[in-house]
Amino acid sequence: MRKWLGIALAVIAADHFTKFWVTSVLDYQEAVPVLPFFSLVLVYNTGAAFSFLADAGGWQRWFFIAVGIVATLIILRLLRTHAQQPRLAFALALLLGGALGNVIDRVVLGHVVDFLYFHYRSFAWPAFNVADSAITLGAGLLIWDSLTGKPAPADTAA
């Protein structure tokens, strides 16, 4: 279990280190092109994914903090139960680190710091951060694990 908590802490550290760096070098909404399809841009998200509920008036901050805390408790229980299943535990550790990274932002700042911005011509993906990346990767691994996990034992009743 310690190994997986260490991975979650590494996600939180990477998330907050990058957020600290970006907020120290960019002004709000300043964009710095890095590649033709990728820029660093400092934005704040008071909502959830794709700015869901961003303009809800403030109550969403506490709602998303509560959701993050509940998710953390569930993930910790699942990690304890499945610590010996590396792929599943790694996915859960990524989800845990990502969820806590964004919860910390919401508690301390009242919003989440986003800065990774992918775009091409008129198409643009909403800005996101390291925590969001860990959540996405963790969710993808959970799906993969559920599709490729151990097959159910064959029924031996005759």
Side-chain angles (χ1 to χ4, degrees), residues 23-102:
T23 56
S24 67
V25 298
L26 295 180
D27 291 324
Y28 180 67
Q29 293 188 335
E30 178 183 2
V32 176
V34 177
L35 297 169
F37 57 88
F38 173 68
S39 300
L40 294 174
V41 60
L42 177 59
V43 293
Y44 304 139
N45 185 359
T46 56
F50 306 103
S51 296
F52 175 67
L53 295 178
D55 297 324
W59 64 266
Q60 74 276 23
R61 172 186 183 189
W62 306 108
F63 174 74
F64 290 129
I65 288 170
V67 168
I69 291 169
V70 169
T72 295
L73 296 173
I74 292 168
I75 293 167
L76 285 170
R77 182 173 177 168
L78 288 169
L79 261 176
R80 197 174 321 120
T81 306
H82 300 286
Q84 301 307 318
Q85 297 171 281
R87 188 170 46 198
L88 178 57
F90 182 64
L92 292 169
L94 291 174
L95 289 168
L96 179 63
L100 285 175
N102 283 337

Side-chain angles (χ1 to χ4, degrees), residues 3-25:
K3 172 179 164 181
W4 307 120
L5 293 178
I7 290 170
L9 287 174
V11 168
I12 295 168
D15 180 55
H16 283 276
F17 173 79
T18 55
K19 289 173 180 175
F20 173 78
W21 177 77
V22 166
T23 56
S24 67
V25 298

